[in-house]
Amino acid sequence: MSHLFRLLLCAALLGCGSTQLASVSTAHAADVASGSSQTVTLQIAQTLALESQGLSIQLVEFKDSRCPTGTQCVWAGQATASLLITRAGIATQTIVIGTPAPPAMQLPYQATVGKYQFTLVSLEPRPTAKGEVPVASVRANIRIENQ
């Protein structure tokens, strides 16, 4: 990831007016072999690099409308994660994946970029009735499948 991109990302995060700013970091994962999958965990602004495959994934945003623990809701709600996908030689893409919802609602679930399918396995921690979850504590567990 270029230094210019990191600088622009930091500037964008500062401009959002958030009281909490997550640090930008890069993690490295084992490659996902053809026909296999791997589950990875990302926090906001963290980038995962699959270097030999020329792929990087960054969690840029999440939304969580799931029913808070300890409450009763009309429906379970949904959590989504927006990922910035960078592949060598291909334009960067932003995809949105989410927890399962009834098909009639047409909410995001899985997304495919090239030969990779991305699925949000979970977003943790769940909201609570006591208030908002700190941004820095949120973790997205994402399954990457190399089809």
Side-chain angles (χ1 to χ4, degrees):
M1 180 186 299
S2 75
H3 293 294
L4 177 60
F5 179 75
R6 285 187 182 185
L7 181 62
L8 291 173
L9 175 65
C10 288
L13 290 172
L14 286 171
C16 291
S18 174
T19 57
Q20 298 176 347
L21 178 63
S23 64
V24 176
S25 66
T26 301
H28 301 273
D31 291 332
V32 182
S34 184
S36 68
S37 66
Q38 175 177 308
T39 300
V40 298
T41 301
L42 290 173
Q43 62 188 103
I44 198 74
Q46 183 181 23
T47 299
L48 174 76
L50 299 171
E51 290 173 348
S52 70
Q53 294 175 328
L55 181 71
S56 69
I57 303 123
Q58 182 180 45
L59 177 62
V60 292
E61 181 182 35
F62 67 89
K63 294 182 182 173
D64 197 345
S65 67
R66 295 177 295 172
C67 186
T69 57
T71 63
Q72 292 184 337
C73 300
V74 175
W75 84 291
Q78 188 192 36
T80 61
S82 296
L83 305 175
L84 188 66
I85 309 295
T86 305
R87 292 178 33 215
I90 304 219
T92 299
Q93 292 180 260
T94 301
I95 61 170
V96 179
I97 54 177
T99 54
M105 296 183 81
Q106 298 181 357
L107 295 172
Y109 177 56
Q110 296 175 321
T112 301
V113 176
K115 62 182 181 176
Y116 300 96
Q117 183 175 54
F118 298 88
T119 305
L120 181 61
V121 176
S122 64
L123 189 68
E124 299 170 352
R126 287 189 65 92
T128 67
K130 294 180 182 178
E132 285 191 29
V133 174
V135 171
S137 71
V138 174
R139 304 288 184 269
N141 298 302
I142 301 159
R143 185 174 64 241
I144 306 167
E145 184 178 347
N146 184 343
Q147 301 175 331

